[in-house]
Amino acid sequence: MGLLDRAEEINKTSEAKVSSSPTPKKESPSLLKKAEHFREEELPNNQSLAESVTVSDSDSDWLEDAISDTLATEIGDLPNPDGEEEFDLSDIPELTDSDFGDLSESHDDWKENPVSNLEDDLDSIHDETNPYEPVEPDLGDDLVERDYHDDLLEADAPLPEVNLFDEWENEAKKEAAKQPLRQSKEDPAPIGEEVLFDDESDFGTAPMSYHLASKKRIENYQAIFEITKEIASSKEFSDFFDNLVYSLIGQVGCQSVVILTSTNPKNSKWEAIAAQGIQSKDSWYLTPGDEIYARISDSETVIYAGEFKSSRLPNRELNLLKEMESEILVPIRHGEKCFGVLSLGKLINGEEYITDDLEFAKIVGDIAGSVFERVSEFEAINDELVHAKEVIEINESVLQFARDFSKVRKMDEAYDFLIDNIKNKLGVKQFSFLVLDSETRSDYIVFGSNFILPERTKDFRLSKDSDIIGMVSNVSGVYKLENFREDSELKSIFTNDELGIMSEFTILPIINLNWLVGMVIIHSTGSAWTDTTRDVAVSLLETSAPVFANLLILQEKEALFRNPFNPLESRILLEIEKASTLKASFTVSLFKIQNVSRMIHLVGTGTFARYADTLRKTMMDHISELDFFTRVGQGKFVLVLHGKDKEETDVVIKKIKSSFAKKEEAIIGNFRASYRVLTLAYPHDTKDKNQFLEMVEEA
């Protein structure tokens, strides 16, 4: 029991003997303070508490007054028994029984000898081993002079007990009920078990939809890894497109997928290469001039097809989106390059595309663009390897052909050897072989054919001045007449039945030293020719041309090869004879195309052949029947103008130049070709035929 409790009991015991007259209240220190003051001031040095204080029964009146006054001040303001009044306990220190020694434990001893027990308690307060510094109430100077044993006989009514901790606990429960830290439910995690993730509790602040979206995104990334492995293993476009289409349908869940792209780097037109869930059409394509093509090429993200449908698109593009049932358009791009577009239809479940679907499609489009570029490079390398292999085989074949052909010593053997090779290497089925007629020196006649009947071979001849000969006589190549059945020259040679049987009319000229030795005319083949086939054909004919020329010379079937200018020389001699007799004039003019080899390299053999043939036709259109025209080399033409002097010849040349200038741009475009004109007049410039021939040879 504490000192304050003991003081209350003393007060209760002494109330019976206290006078009923009121005692004036005054401010006095607490009971412990009085006891401390009493011990410090009254006790002399080296004097014990028992020796200095004499307790007598007569002092009970004083003790009653002192305790009454003190208790009235110290504890008279306690709350009412109903416990609803608030009180301030800040002045009362928190004291425990340990602060007062063993007073509470020796209650019985304290009753018998309060003075000695009080002295022991006070000494224990100042003991060095005591860690506490309790506050001692002041009991007054004469408290210890009174013996109050008799005052403890009667007990007073107990004061109300106030438990502050219970009130604090109740208030805490009320506050906790207003703001709960967590829902009151059983902890789903078993007690004593360690868990890595707490998936059951609701401590997270994000809504459940966020967690579901995060889970779906993880699933999308896992699907992207699988798609990447599938399409990255593709080495051909066919496998790549199949893997891409099925992956999109399986993961996104769209009803249809259409891929518009081009596998040819030289062709910028996007066509429907692959489709799934819908039947593709040939009309599904996009060109660089289309609005959708331009938007897709510049876009780095997914585009809703509805954005195009709501804009003013051309009818063809609008119908394209409707026919493909497009919902979103995904560019197939890698870096700055856009290779095409993926058209995704509606979702199978009927829902709208969400952000995760669009993000997934965009990532797949980027991955597809990277793989597309790699597959393109792989196929390009593969094509180059295949082409290189074909070129090597062609070169080896042509080299072997040249070696074998150089051993031939007869025209018939050369013909048979050439025909066998063009049949085997070029797939030729029907053909005709023509050479220059050694008698007339102006026509090309049939030497052998498996198409023209023997009785008809004499009728099949082509004049040196014909348009067909003029077209093929300048450069070695492959010349195919597209509308040969409508050609007036061929209609005059062949019957309608013969023209109807022909599948084509393709000419392979045999040119040696700029002179047309002969030609192979192809009437039908087993399959369409490729660029490689054409290269082989030209190589075979170029290799065989010197052999045929030499054989014709050796067999003396064509004097033209012994003297290339024999026709021109004969005509010049004839004109000199007439002019000297009639005292008249004539002029020889040479037209020569400049830098033939450079022009062929820049614009190709076909363009050069059309250019030279147009020049030839223009010259022939401006000469009379008495004039003479002949080709004397590659891009070289000679006019012998009968009865015209130099001034009259200049007028004719100006007309030819003016007329040809109008046709030149349509043939070669922006490329600027040039030709020169040389002229000698008889008798003004010369009377020697050799000077005319030297001008032609040296030009």
PDB file of all heavy atoms in Angstrom, residues 181-211:
ATOM      1  N   LEU A 181      -7.365  -0.631 -39.724  1.00  0.00           N
ATOM      2  CA  LEU A 181      -6.135  -0.799 -40.497  1.00  0.00           C
ATOM      3  C   LEU A 181      -6.316  -1.806 -41.612  1.00  0.00           C
ATOM      4  O   LEU A 181      -5.745  -1.694 -42.672  1.00  0.00           O
ATOM      5  CB  LEU A 181      -4.990  -1.237 -39.585  1.00  0.00           C
ATOM      6  CG  LEU A 181      -4.541  -0.187 -38.561  1.00  0.00           C
ATOM      7  CD1 LEU A 181      -3.430  -0.760 -37.700  1.00  0.00           C
ATOM      8  CD2 LEU A 181      -4.084   1.091 -39.227  1.00  0.00           C
ATOM      9  N   ARG A 182      -7.119  -2.831 -41.399  1.00  0.00           N
ATOM     10  CA  ARG A 182      -7.390  -3.857 -42.403  1.00  0.00           C
ATOM     11  C   ARG A 182      -8.708  -4.510 -42.085  1.00  0.00           C
ATOM     12  O   ARG A 182      -9.228  -4.385 -40.977  1.00  0.00           O
ATOM     13  CB  ARG A 182      -6.273  -4.904 -42.439  1.00  0.00           C
ATOM     14  CG  ARG A 182      -6.037  -5.591 -41.110  1.00  0.00           C
ATOM     15  CD  ARG A 182      -5.057  -6.744 -41.258  1.00  0.00           C
ATOM     16  NE  ARG A 182      -5.661  -7.779 -42.063  1.00  0.00           N
ATOM     17  CZ  ARG A 182      -5.024  -8.889 -42.427  1.00  0.00           C
ATOM     18  NH1 ARG A 182      -3.782  -9.059 -42.056  1.00  0.00           N
ATOM     19  NH2 ARG A 182      -5.618  -9.818 -43.158  1.00  0.00           N
ATOM     20  N   GLN A 183      -9.283  -5.141 -43.028  1.00  0.00           N
ATOM     21  CA  GLN A 183     -10.551  -5.808 -42.802  1.00  0.00           C
ATOM     22  C   GLN A 183     -10.373  -6.943 -41.813  1.00  0.00           C
ATOM     23  O   GLN A 183      -9.356  -7.640 -41.811  1.00  0.00           O
ATOM     24  CB  GLN A 183     -11.094  -6.351 -44.118  1.00  0.00           C
ATOM     25  CG  GLN A 183     -11.398  -5.262 -45.127  1.00  0.00           C
ATOM     26  CD  GLN A 183     -11.934  -5.822 -46.397  1.00  0.00           C
ATOM     27  OE1 GLN A 183     -12.044  -7.027 -46.515  1.00  0.00           O
ATOM     28  NE2 GLN A 183     -12.261  -4.962 -47.340  1.00  0.00           N
ATOM     29  N   SER A 184     -11.372  -7.084 -40.987  1.00  0.00           N
ATOM     30  CA  SER A 184     -11.309  -8.135 -39.966  1.00  0.00           C
ATOM     31  C   SER A 184     -11.713  -9.450 -40.604  1.00  0.00           C
ATOM     32  O   SER A 184     -12.886  -9.738 -40.797  1.00  0.00           O
ATOM     33  CB  SER A 184     -12.241  -7.789 -38.801  1.00  0.00           C
ATOM     34  OG  SER A 184     -13.553  -7.648 -39.280  1.00  0.00           O
ATOM     35  N   LYS A 185     -10.737 -10.192 -40.995  1.00  0.00           N
ATOM     36  CA  LYS A 185     -10.992 -11.516 -41.545  1.00  0.00           C
ATOM     37  C   LYS A 185      -9.777 -12.373 -41.265  1.00  0.00           C
ATOM     38  O   LYS A 185      -8.723 -11.890 -40.900  1.00  0.00           O
ATOM     39  CB  LYS A 185     -11.275 -11.457 -43.043  1.00  0.00           C
ATOM     40  CG  LYS A 185     -10.077 -11.071 -43.876  1.00  0.00           C
ATOM     41  CD  LYS A 185     -10.435 -11.128 -45.344  1.00  0.00           C
ATOM     42  CE  LYS A 185      -9.213 -10.831 -46.178  1.00  0.00           C
ATOM     43  NZ  LYS A 185      -9.495 -10.911 -47.603  1.00  0.00           N
ATOM     44  N   GLU A 186      -9.954 -13.609 -41.438  1.00  0.00           N
ATOM     45  CA  GLU A 186      -8.879 -14.542 -41.136  1.00  0.00           C
ATOM     46  C   GLU A 186      -7.715 -14.332 -42.086  1.00  0.00           C
ATOM     47  O   GLU A 186      -7.899 -14.067 -43.255  1.00  0.00           O
ATOM     48  CB  GLU A 186      -9.399 -15.971 -41.287  1.00  0.00           C
ATOM     49  CG  GLU A 186      -9.352 -16.710 -39.962  1.00  0.00           C
ATOM     50  CD  GLU A 186      -9.818 -18.127 -40.137  1.00  0.00           C
ATOM     51  OE1 GLU A 186      -9.062 -18.935 -40.678  1.00  0.00           O
ATOM     52  OE2 GLU A 186     -10.950 -18.383 -39.749  1.00  0.00           O
ATOM     53  N   ASP A 187      -6.510 -14.404 -41.564  1.00  0.00           N
ATOM     54  CA  ASP A 187      -5.318 -14.307 -42.399  1.00  0.00           C
ATOM     55  C   ASP A 187      -5.240 -15.538 -43.281  1.00  0.00           C
ATOM     56  O   ASP A 187      -5.182 -16.659 -42.775  1.00  0.00           O
ATOM     57  CB  ASP A 187      -4.082 -14.207 -41.509  1.00  0.00           C
ATOM     58  CG  ASP A 187      -2.852 -13.845 -42.324  1.00  0.00           C
ATOM     59  OD1 ASP A 187      -2.976 -13.807 -43.561  1.00  0.00           O
ATOM     60  OD2 ASP A 187      -1.797 -13.608 -41.723  1.00  0.00           O
ATOM     61  N   PRO A 188      -5.279 -15.359 -44.632  1.00  0.00           N
ATOM     62  CA  PRO A 188      -5.275 -16.540 -45.504  1.00  0.00           C
ATOM     63  C   PRO A 188      -3.977 -17.324 -45.444  1.00  0.00           C
ATOM     64  O   PRO A 188      -3.944 -18.480 -45.779  1.00  0.00           O
ATOM     65  CB  PRO A 188      -5.496 -15.950 -46.898  1.00  0.00           C
ATOM     66  CG  PRO A 188      -4.993 -14.560 -46.788  1.00  0.00           C
ATOM     67  CD  PRO A 188      -5.315 -14.119 -45.385  1.00  0.00           C
ATOM     68  N   ALA A 189      -2.874 -16.651 -45.051  1.00  0.00           N
ATOM     69  CA  ALA A 189      -1.606 -17.365 -45.006  1.00  0.00           C
ATOM     70  C   ALA A 189      -1.538 -18.196 -43.743  1.00  0.00           C
ATOM     71  O   ALA A 189      -1.774 -17.695 -42.648  1.00  0.00           O
ATOM     72  CB  ALA A 189      -0.458 -16.374 -45.029  1.00  0.00           C
ATOM     73  N   PRO A 190      -1.264 -19.469 -43.806  1.00  0.00           N
ATOM     74  CA  PRO A 190      -1.178 -20.316 -42.612  1.00  0.00           C
ATOM     75  C   PRO A 190      -0.099 -19.810 -41.677  1.00  0.00           C
ATOM     76  O   PRO A 190       0.966 -19.365 -42.101  1.00  0.00           O
ATOM     77  CB  PRO A 190      -0.832 -21.700 -43.176  1.00  0.00           C
ATOM     78  CG  PRO A 190      -1.190 -21.639 -44.617  1.00  0.00           C
ATOM     79  CD  PRO A 190      -1.027 -20.225 -45.018  1.00  0.00           C
ATOM     80  N   ILE A 191      -0.416 -19.851 -40.379  1.00  0.00           N
ATOM     81  CA  ILE A 191       0.537 -19.396 -39.371  1.00  0.00           C
ATOM     82  C   ILE A 191       1.722 -20.346 -39.341  1.00  0.00           C
ATOM     83  O   ILE A 191       1.573 -21.560 -39.309  1.00  0.00           O
ATOM     84  CB  ILE A 191      -0.141 -19.320 -37.988  1.00  0.00           C
ATOM     85  CG1 ILE A 191      -1.308 -18.325 -38.043  1.00  0.00           C
ATOM     86  CG2 ILE A 191       0.866 -18.924 -36.909  1.00  0.00           C
ATOM     87  CD1 ILE A 191      -2.084 -18.247 -36.780  1.00  0.00           C
ATOM     88  N   GLY A 192       2.912 -19.752 -39.340  1.00  0.00           N
ATOM     89  CA  GLY A 192       4.106 -20.572 -39.262  1.00  0.00           C
ATOM     90  C   GLY A 192       4.650 -20.985 -40.607  1.00  0.00           C
ATOM     91  O   GLY A 192       5.723 -21.566 -40.680  1.00  0.00           O
ATOM     92  N   GLU A 193       3.921 -20.695 -41.707  1.00  0.00           N
ATOM     93  CA  GLU A 193       4.398 -21.049 -43.043  1.00  0.00           C
ATOM     94  C   GLU A 193       4.956 -19.812 -43.731  1.00  0.00           C
ATOM     95  O   GLU A 193       4.416 -18.723 -43.601  1.00  0.00           O
ATOM     96  CB  GLU A 193       3.270 -21.634 -43.896  1.00  0.00           C
ATOM     97  CG  GLU A 193       2.853 -23.016 -43.480  1.00  0.00           C
ATOM     98  CD  GLU A 193       1.923 -23.614 -44.511  1.00  0.00           C
ATOM     99  OE1 GLU A 193       1.902 -23.088 -45.633  1.00  0.00           O
ATOM    100  OE2 GLU A 193       1.241 -24.586 -44.179  1.00  0.00           O
ATOM    101  N   GLU A 194       6.039 -19.990 -44.462  1.00  0.00           N
ATOM    102  CA  GLU A 194       6.640 -18.907 -45.234  1.00  0.00           C
ATOM    103  C   GLU A 194       6.093 -18.927 -46.656  1.00  0.00           C
ATOM    104  O   GLU A 194       6.033 -19.985 -47.276  1.00  0.00           O
ATOM    105  CB  GLU A 194       8.158 -19.056 -45.263  1.00  0.00           C
ATOM    106  CG  GLU A 194       8.798 -18.889 -43.893  1.00  0.00           C
ATOM    107  CD  GLU A 194      10.303 -18.967 -43.989  1.00  0.00           C
ATOM    108  OE1 GLU A 194      10.779 -19.192 -45.110  1.00  0.00           O
ATOM    109  OE2 GLU A 194      10.977 -18.788 -42.966  1.00  0.00           O
ATOM    110  N   VAL A 195       5.684 -17.755 -47.146  1.00  0.00           N
ATOM    111  CA  VAL A 195       5.168 -17.644 -48.504  1.00  0.00           C
ATOM    112  C   VAL A 195       6.010 -16.618 -49.242  1.00  0.00           C
ATOM    113  O   VAL A 195       6.488 -15.653 -48.666  1.00  0.00           O
ATOM    114  CB  VAL A 195       3.681 -17.218 -48.508  1.00  0.00           C
ATOM    115  CG1 VAL A 195       2.831 -18.313 -47.918  1.00  0.00           C
ATOM    116  CG2 VAL A 195       3.481 -15.918 -47.735  1.00  0.00           C
ATOM    117  N   LEU A 196       6.177 -16.853 -50.548  1.00  0.00           N
ATOM    118  CA  LEU A 196       6.971 -15.938 -51.363  1.00  0.00           C
ATOM    119  C   LEU A 196       6.172 -14.705 -51.775  1.00  0.00           C
ATOM    120  O   LEU A 196       6.638 -13.588 -51.696  1.00  0.00           O
ATOM    121  CB  LEU A 196       7.483 -16.660 -52.607  1.00  0.00           C
ATOM    122  CG  LEU A 196       8.409 -15.841 -53.517  1.00  0.00           C
ATOM    123  CD1 LEU A 196       9.643 -15.404 -52.736  1.00  0.00           C
ATOM    124  CD2 LEU A 196       8.800 -16.658 -54.729  1.00  0.00           C
ATOM    125  N   PHE A 197       4.923 -14.918 -52.225  1.00  0.00           N
ATOM    126  CA  PHE A 197       4.061 -13.822 -52.641  1.00  0.00           C
ATOM    127  C   PHE A 197       2.718 -13.973 -51.936  1.00  0.00           C
ATOM    128  O   PHE A 197       2.181 -15.068 -51.833  1.00  0.00           O
ATOM    129  CB  PHE A 197       3.843 -13.806 -54.163  1.00  0.00           C
ATOM    130  CG  PHE A 197       5.085 -13.555 -54.942  1.00  0.00           C
ATOM    131  CD1 PHE A 197       5.742 -14.588 -55.568  1.00  0.00           C
ATOM    132  CD2 PHE A 197       5.602 -12.272 -55.032  1.00  0.00           C
ATOM    133  CE1 PHE A 197       6.901 -14.361 -56.273  1.00  0.00           C
ATOM    134  CE2 PHE A 197       6.758 -12.044 -55.737  1.00  0.00           C
ATOM    135  CZ  PHE A 197       7.404 -13.095 -56.356  1.00  0.00           C
ATOM    136  N   ASP A 198       2.211 -12.843 -51.503  1.00  0.00           N
ATOM    137  CA  ASP A 198       0.901 -12.837 -50.857  1.00  0.00           C
ATOM    138  C   ASP A 198      -0.133 -12.453 -51.894  1.00  0.00           C
ATOM    139  O   ASP A 198      -0.443 -11.285 -52.071  1.00  0.00           O
ATOM    140  CB  ASP A 198       0.903 -11.844 -49.688  1.00  0.00           C
ATOM    141  CG  ASP A 198      -0.417 -11.885 -48.927  1.00  0.00           C
ATOM    142  OD1 ASP A 198      -1.221 -12.791 -49.203  1.00  0.00           O
ATOM    143  OD2 ASP A 198      -0.632 -11.013 -48.061  1.00  0.00           O
ATOM    144  N   ASP A 199      -0.637 -13.446 -52.626  1.00  0.00           N
ATOM    145  CA  ASP A 199      -1.602 -13.184 -53.688  1.00  0.00           C
ATOM    146  C   ASP A 199      -3.026 -13.084 -53.169  1.00  0.00           C
ATOM    147  O   ASP A 199      -3.920 -12.679 -53.903  1.00  0.00           O
ATOM    148  CB  ASP A 199      -1.543 -14.291 -54.747  1.00  0.00           C
ATOM    149  CG  ASP A 199      -0.209 -14.284 -55.477  1.00  0.00           C
ATOM    150  OD1 ASP A 199       0.397 -13.193 -55.518  1.00  0.00           O
ATOM    151  OD2 ASP A 199       0.199 -15.344 -55.968  1.00  0.00           O
ATOM    152  N   GLU A 200      -3.295 -13.479 -51.917  1.00  0.00           N
ATOM    153  CA  GLU A 200      -4.659 -13.539 -51.410  1.00  0.00           C
ATOM    154  C   GLU A 200      -5.092 -12.253 -50.723  1.00  0.00           C
ATOM    155  O   GLU A 200      -6.254 -11.896 -50.738  1.00  0.00           O
ATOM    156  CB  GLU A 200      -4.792 -14.699 -50.410  1.00  0.00           C
ATOM    157  CG  GLU A 200      -4.433 -16.054 -51.003  1.00  0.00           C
ATOM    158  CD  GLU A 200      -5.421 -16.448 -52.075  1.00  0.00           C
ATOM    159  OE1 GLU A 200      -6.563 -15.964 -52.030  1.00  0.00           O
ATOM    160  OE2 GLU A 200      -5.053 -17.233 -52.957  1.00  0.00           O
ATOM    161  N   SER A 201      -4.147 -11.556 -50.063  1.00  0.00           N
ATOM    162  CA  SER A 201      -4.518 -10.381 -49.282  1.00  0.00           C
ATOM    163  C   SER A 201      -4.827  -9.208 -50.191  1.00  0.00           C
ATOM    164  O   SER A 201      -4.498  -9.201 -51.361  1.00  0.00           O
ATOM    165  CB  SER A 201      -3.393 -10.006 -48.310  1.00  0.00           C
ATOM    166  OG  SER A 201      -2.213  -9.750 -49.024  1.00  0.00           O
ATOM    167  N   ASP A 202      -5.450  -8.179 -49.623  1.00  0.00           N
ATOM    168  CA  ASP A 202      -5.912  -7.021 -50.400  1.00  0.00           C
ATOM    169  C   ASP A 202      -5.179  -5.760 -49.983  1.00  0.00           C
ATOM    170  O   ASP A 202      -5.758  -4.701 -49.916  1.00  0.00           O
ATOM    171  CB  ASP A 202      -7.420  -6.832 -50.210  1.00  0.00           C
ATOM    172  CG  ASP A 202      -7.769  -6.635 -48.743  1.00  0.00           C
ATOM    173  OD1 ASP A 202      -6.882  -6.896 -47.896  1.00  0.00           O
ATOM    174  OD2 ASP A 202      -8.899  -6.213 -48.463  1.00  0.00           O
ATOM    175  N   PHE A 203      -3.877  -5.896 -49.658  1.00  0.00           N
ATOM    176  CA  PHE A 203      -3.143  -4.715 -49.256  1.00  0.00           C
ATOM    177  C   PHE A 203      -2.801  -3.822 -50.437  1.00  0.00           C
ATOM    178  O   PHE A 203      -2.376  -2.696 -50.267  1.00  0.00           O
ATOM    179  CB  PHE A 203      -1.845  -5.107 -48.534  1.00  0.00           C
ATOM    180  CG  PHE A 203      -2.089  -5.640 -47.150  1.00  0.00           C
ATOM    181  CD1 PHE A 203      -1.915  -6.976 -46.877  1.00  0.00           C
ATOM    182  CD2 PHE A 203      -2.503  -4.800 -46.144  1.00  0.00           C
ATOM    183  CE1 PHE A 203      -2.142  -7.467 -45.611  1.00  0.00           C
ATOM    184  CE2 PHE A 203      -2.727  -5.283 -44.870  1.00  0.00           C
ATOM    185  CZ  PHE A 203      -2.554  -6.623 -44.591  1.00  0.00           C
ATOM    186  N   GLY A 204      -2.883  -4.334 -51.694  1.00  0.00           N
ATOM    187  CA  GLY A 204      -2.545  -3.532 -52.865  1.00  0.00           C
ATOM    188  C   GLY A 204      -3.503  -2.382 -53.056  1.00  0.00           C
ATOM    189  O   GLY A 204      -4.694  -2.467 -52.739  1.00  0.00           O
ATOM    190  N   THR A 205      -2.989  -1.277 -53.599  1.00  0.00           N
ATOM    191  CA  THR A 205      -3.834  -0.095 -53.812  1.00  0.00           C
ATOM    192  C   THR A 205      -4.422  -0.056 -55.209  1.00  0.00           C
ATOM    193  O   THR A 205      -5.348   0.699 -55.465  1.00  0.00           O
ATOM    194  CB  THR A 205      -3.009   1.176 -53.587  1.00  0.00           C
ATOM    195  OG1 THR A 205      -1.900   1.157 -54.478  1.00  0.00           O
ATOM    196  CG2 THR A 205      -2.502   1.242 -52.155  1.00  0.00           C
ATOM    197  N   ALA A 206      -3.863  -0.846 -56.177  1.00  0.00           N
ATOM    198  CA  ALA A 206      -4.365  -0.830 -57.547  1.00  0.00           C
ATOM    199  C   ALA A 206      -5.640  -1.652 -57.663  1.00  0.00           C
ATOM    200  O   ALA A 206      -5.787  -2.673 -56.991  1.00  0.00           O
ATOM    201  CB  ALA A 206      -3.312  -1.383 -58.501  1.00  0.00           C
ATOM    202  N   PRO A 207      -6.567  -1.236 -58.554  1.00  0.00           N
ATOM    203  CA  PRO A 207      -7.790  -2.025 -58.764  1.00  0.00           C
ATOM    204  C   PRO A 207      -7.468  -3.387 -59.363  1.00  0.00           C
ATOM    205  O   PRO A 207      -6.405  -3.608 -59.935  1.00  0.00           O
ATOM    206  CB  PRO A 207      -8.605  -1.157 -59.741  1.00  0.00           C
ATOM    207  CG  PRO A 207      -8.005   0.192 -59.658  1.00  0.00           C
ATOM    208  CD  PRO A 207      -6.572   0.013 -59.307  1.00  0.00           C
ATOM    209  N   MET A 208      -8.416  -4.304 -59.224  1.00  0.00           N
ATOM    210  CA  MET A 208      -8.216  -5.651 -59.735  1.00  0.00           C
ATOM    211  C   MET A 208      -8.044  -5.651 -61.250  1.00  0.00           C
ATOM    212  O   MET A 208      -7.326  -6.491 -61.793  1.00  0.00           O
ATOM    213  CB  MET A 208      -9.407  -6.528 -59.342  1.00  0.00           C
ATOM    214  CG  MET A 208      -9.256  -7.987 -59.776  1.00  0.00           C
ATOM    215  SD  MET A 208      -7.769  -8.747 -59.099  1.00  0.00           S
ATOM    216  CE  MET A 208      -8.192  -8.722 -57.358  1.00  0.00           C
ATOM    217  N   SER A 209      -8.681  -4.701 -61.951  1.00  0.00           N
ATOM    218  CA  SER A 209      -8.549  -4.649 -63.413  1.00  0.00           C
ATOM    219  C   SER A 209      -7.104  -4.403 -63.826  1.00  0.00           C
ATOM    220  O   SER A 209      -6.642  -4.894 -64.845  1.00  0.00           O
ATOM    221  CB  SER A 209      -9.447  -3.542 -63.980  1.00  0.00           C
ATOM    222  OG  SER A 209      -9.096  -2.288 -63.424  1.00  0.00           O
ATOM    223  N   TYR A 210      -6.368  -3.621 -62.992  1.00  0.00           N
ATOM    224  CA  TYR A 210      -4.962  -3.391 -63.300  1.00  0.00           C
ATOM    225  C   TYR A 210      -4.166  -4.678 -63.215  1.00  0.00           C
ATOM    226  O   TYR A 210      -3.287  -4.941 -64.024  1.00  0.00           O
ATOM    227  CB  TYR A 210      -4.371  -2.353 -62.348  1.00  0.00           C
ATOM    228  CG  TYR A 210      -4.819  -0.937 -62.617  1.00  0.00           C
ATOM    229  CD1 TYR A 210      -5.805  -0.664 -63.574  1.00  0.00           C
ATOM    230  CD2 TYR A 210      -4.271   0.134 -61.920  1.00  0.00           C
ATOM    231  CE1 TYR A 210      -6.226   0.615 -63.819  1.00  0.00           C
ATOM    232  CE2 TYR A 210      -4.679   1.432 -62.153  1.00  0.00           C
ATOM    233  CZ  TYR A 210      -5.667   1.671 -63.110  1.00  0.00           C
ATOM    234  OH  TYR A 210      -6.070   2.932 -63.352  1.00  0.00           O
ATOM    235  N   HIS A 211      -4.469  -5.476 -62.210  1.00  0.00           N
ATOM    236  CA  HIS A 211      -3.752  -6.740 -62.060  1.00  0.00           C
ATOM    237  C   HIS A 211      -4.072  -7.677 -63.218  1.00  0.00           C
ATOM    238  O   HIS A 211      -3.190  -8.374 -63.726  1.00  0.00           O
ATOM    239  CB  HIS A 211      -4.121  -7.392 -60.728  1.00  0.00           C
ATOM    240  CG  HIS A 211      -3.699  -6.587 -59.524  1.00  0.00           C
ATOM    241  ND1 HIS A 211      -2.378  -6.513 -59.114  1.00  0.00           N
ATOM    242  CD2 HIS A 211      -4.401  -5.805 -58.673  1.00  0.00           C
ATOM    243  CE1 HIS A 211      -2.304  -5.738 -58.035  1.00  0.00           C
ATOM    244  NE2 HIS A 211      -3.515  -5.293 -57.753  1.00  0.00           N
TER     245      HIS A 211
END
